[in-house]
Amino acid sequence: MKTLVLVRHAKSAWGDPSLADHDRPLNARGRRDAPEMGRRLRERGMVPDAIVSSTAVRARTTAEAIASALGVDAATLRLDERLYGSSPETILDVVAELDDDLSTAMVVAHDPGLSDLASRLSDEIEHMPTCAVAEFRFRAWTWAELPESEPVDVRFDTPR
């Protein structure tokens, strides 16, 4: 069994027009929501074996806050520049490269690719608001099987 956890980065700040989009930090709500979602995951026993994040500041900071709340060493966080502005296919390509010994992986990325992937995997998810968490459990033995697999269980949570 494989479990894929998709996380949209927490709410980011737009206050500094001199910052490139890639460099935008989290705003106050984002800094509050990310650890809260990590706490919720921890309470349910959902601790990923791997966390892969976009290199964008807002995604990386979200991943670090969730990892901290989960008690996962942030040094094990893997950054992948392909997740910045990625399509559902690119997200699945990144996941397919994960070690098949891992059973649960978290991907922290951006819209619209993340919402598109989540809605493709479940009719119950139309859109992933900031810091939303979507979990998909598959009867798959390799990460590369996910594009051809249907989830057997779906869970969706948002900060609000």
Side-chain angles (χ1 to χ4, degrees), residues 79-146:
L79 300 177
D80 193 313
E81 63 188 13
R82 294 175 293 172
L83 292 173
Y84 178 68
S86 57
S87 67
E89 293 75 24
T90 299
I91 295 168
L92 289 172
D93 287 346
V94 169
V95 171
E97 295 172 5
L98 293 170
D99 186 330
D100 288 327
D101 289 339
L102 305 172
S103 62
T104 303
M106 177 182 286
V107 174
V108 182
H110 311 266
D111 257 8
L114 213 55
S115 284
D116 291 347
L117 178 56
S119 65
R120 181 187 301 177
L121 294 172
S122 173
D123 292 339
E124 299 169 23
I125 303 172
E126 293 180 25
H127 173 70
M128 291 193 55
T130 54
C131 216
V133 176
E135 299 170 38
F136 304 92
R137 185 168 295 122
F138 298 88
R139 280 196 182 97
W141 302 109
T142 69
W143 292 106
E145 294 175 62
L146 265 55

Side-chain angles (χ1 to χ4, degrees), residues 17-126:
S18 69
L19 285 179
D21 180 69
H22 190 273
D23 298 327
R24 285 191 292 117
L26 296 181
N27 68 12
R29 187 172 108 199
R31 289 189 305 272
R32 180 188 70 234
D33 288 350
E36 169 62 18
M37 296 308 286
R39 184 191 61 75
R40 290 183 197 178
L41 289 165
R42 185 187 71 237
E43 285 178 354
R44 290 189 302 95
M46 175 51 70
V47 179
D49 302 311
I51 301 174
V52 185
S53 173
S54 159
T55 55
V57 170
R58 60 192 180 275
R60 186 185 72 231
T61 306
T62 299
E64 290 168 349
I66 289 174
S68 177
L70 289 169
V72 174
D73 184 359
T76 64
L77 173 68
R78 190 177 115 212
L79 300 177
D80 193 313
E81 63 188 13
R82 294 175 293 172
L83 292 173
Y84 178 68
S86 57
S87 67
E89 293 75 24
T90 299
I91 295 168
L92 289 172
D93 287 346
V94 169
V95 171
E97 295 172 5
L98 293 170
D99 186 330
D100 288 327
D101 289 339
L102 305 172
S103 62
T104 303
M106 177 182 286
V107 174
V108 182
H110 311 266
D111 257 8
L114 213 55
S115 284
D116 291 347
L117 178 56
S119 65
R120 181 187 301 177
L121 294 172
S122 173
D123 292 339
E124 299 169 23
I125 303 172
E126 293 180 25

